[in-house]
Amino acid sequence: MVQTSTDPADQLPDNNPVTRELVEAVLETVEAQDKEGVIALLDPLHPADVADIIEQIDRAERKALVVLLGADLNGAALSELEEGVRDEVISDLPDEVLAAVVQDLETDDVVYLTEDLEEPKQQRILRSLDDIDRIAVEQ
């Protein structure tokens, strides 16, 4: 008889770099407030894999992770998040950190991330972009 697990981490394909062990290592490193350690664990990953980790952890763990990373959070990973999780993460980031995170994103990704934000937060982020990027996002 084949046992099936209800744990999403157990359902990951074998070639997926996001293992239960990696998620646990990230959480332990966050708990230790080891920013460089978290960066070392996440930097080699594709943004979709970083998003996968963020989606697998609970809201309190997620907030601790994004607050610890601050401006070092991979902006492309934000674009990969499911909408509800993305909204939570964006709401947990101070405006100046969110602005720093979106600096290296493509224009369409910045639009995607900011289109549902409240107007004051949108404006603060737009003001942080250089003129060419800001105009492109506004259009």
Side-chain angles (χ1 to χ4, degrees):
M1 177 179 223
V2 177
Q3 287 185 311
T4 57
S5 170
T6 58
D7 186 339
D10 291 339
Q11 303 297 318
L12 297 171
D14 291 337
N15 62 349
N16 189 328
V18 180
T19 62
R20 177 189 306 237
E21 291 79 19
L22 176 58
V23 173
E24 289 174 4
V26 168
L27 290 176
E28 288 171 7
T29 310
V30 169
E31 188 174 324
Q33 293 292 298
D34 180 3
K35 181 177 182 174
E36 297 305 315
V38 172
I39 292 171
L41 289 168
L42 299 181
D43 265 357
L45 300 175
H46 185 276
D49 296 324
V50 174
D52 188 18
I53 290 172
I54 293 170
E55 289 170 350
Q56 286 187 42
I57 59 180
D58 69 37
R59 170 112 195 211
E61 294 165 336
R62 191 177 300 130
K63 183 174 182 174
L65 172 63
V66 300
V67 167
L68 178 63
L69 286 174
D72 291 313
L73 179 64
N74 184 333
L78 286 179
S79 300
E80 298 285 343
L81 290 171
E82 294 175 2
E83 185 177 352
V85 174
R86 185 185 71 239
D87 293 346
E88 286 178 7
V89 169
I90 288 174
S91 71
D92 289 337
L93 291 172
D95 291 346
E96 63 276 1
V97 172
L98 183 57
V101 167
V102 302
Q103 289 294 320
D104 295 326
L105 293 179
E106 297 292 325
T107 302
D108 58 335
D109 289 330
V110 176
V111 169
Y112 175 70
L113 289 175
T114 58
E115 65 187 348
D116 295 327
L117 296 177
E118 296 173 10
E119 182 71 21
K121 193 167 211 165
Q122 277 182 348
Q123 290 305 313
R124 287 189 292 271
I125 292 168
L126 290 173
R127 282 193 303 268
S128 74
L129 299 173
D130 63 46
D131 289 342
I132 293 171
D133 289 337
R134 182 182 39 75
I135 291 168
V137 169
E138 289 175 336
Q139 290 179 343

